[in-house]
Amino acid sequence: MSVDQKSLLADITRRMDGALESLRRDFAGLRSGRASPALLEPVRVEAYGGEVPLTQVGSIAVPEARMLTVQVWDRSLVGAVERAIRDSGLGLNPAADGQTVRVPIPQLTEERRNELARAAGKYAENAKIAVRGVRRDGMEQTRGQEKKGEISQDDVKVWSDAIQKLTDQYVKRVDELLAEKEREIKQV
């Protein structure tokens, strides 16, 4: 394996890891009936003349299995944090208590569980598309090197097989993450 091939495969691996990491972040935002600080991480709060992530105006904690709390650092932002959580589309109903915003996590209905499972499937499909896009870029790079005369047809075949094998591994990991998330969502 040449230095070029190793650096190409390292770049492809890095980019595919990025697609998996993005999928994990997307999955963290899907409510599974259990309290998790990651649930509120995508929420953005109207503060300081713009929208900022919730994590920049307060700290999120899990005092019990079905409750999240947000300790807001600036008392004047408590109402904005409460509004942002309510309007986030997560189906949560926060209540302010001094500088703390309490967010009870309601039991999920069967219909809502199915909606979340479908959303998880869409996120997984997007991750697979991203992985396949990285594969396509890698294949194009090897073909480009062949056209320039830098590598032989045999090398193109070897590289293509290695890139395809890597792609198959990442697609399998996406499927495993999806199966795990669906189990978590459907668990009552």
Side-chain angles (χ1 to χ4, degrees):
M1 201 180 271
S2 71
V3 174
D4 283 346
Q5 186 181 14
K6 285 181 182 175
S7 66
L8 176 65
L9 289 178
D11 181 54
I12 289 172
T13 301
R14 181 187 55 76
R15 291 172 57 198
M16 288 182 180
D17 280 339
L20 279 183
E21 193 52 43
S22 176
L23 177 65
R24 284 188 186 98
R25 279 193 306 275
D26 289 342
F27 279 176
L30 289 178
R31 191 156 66 90
S32 63
R34 286 195 301 262
S36 165
L39 180 63
L40 296 179
E41 284 179 5
V43 175
R44 298 186 66 76
V45 179
E46 193 70 38
Y48 310 120
E51 279 195 354
V52 296
L54 178 63
T55 54
Q56 289 185 7
V57 297
S59 55
I60 304 168
V62 184
E64 53 190 79
R66 303 190 59 78
M67 174 76 70
L68 289 170
T69 59
V70 180
Q71 182 65 42
V72 183
W73 300 319
D74 184 346
R75 185 178 290 274
S76 66
L77 295 176
V78 171
V81 167
E82 194 177 358
R83 238 181 340 276
I85 294 169
R86 188 171 290 115
D87 298 341
S88 66
L90 294 171
L92 301 173
N93 192 17
D97 180 15
Q99 273 189 259
T100 302
V101 176
R102 297 187 184 288
V103 186
I105 307 297
Q107 188 70 27
L108 292 174
T109 64
E110 189 62 32
E111 182 181 325
R112 183 68 177 140
R113 287 179 194 282
N114 290 333
E115 286 175 25
L116 291 172
R118 279 193 297 277
K122 287 178 185 172
Y123 289 149
E125 189 55 39
N126 289 340
K128 287 180 185 179
I129 290 169
V131 166
R132 290 180 189 126
V134 172
R135 175 191 65 192
R136 184 187 62 242
D137 292 347
M139 297 289 199
E140 287 173 1
Q141 285 180 348
T142 59
R143 284 191 214 102
Q145 288 181 328
E146 179 192 15
K147 285 181 182 172
K148 291 178 189 173
E150 296 173 3
I151 60 172
S152 68
Q153 283 184 337
D154 291 342
D155 286 341
V156 169
K157 175 76 174 122
V158 169
W159 287 27
S160 296
D161 289 346
I163 292 169
Q164 184 59 50
K165 185 176 176 185
L166 201 56
T167 302
D168 292 343
Q169 290 171 355
Y170 276 88
V171 167
K172 183 179 178 202
R173 285 168 62 185
V174 167
D175 288 337
E176 289 167 355
L177 288 171
L178 174 61
E180 183 181 316
K181 187 64 179 182
E182 284 178 336
R183 261 193 312 280
E184 184 182 311
I185 289 170
K186 302 241 179 188
Q187 177 183 332
V188 178

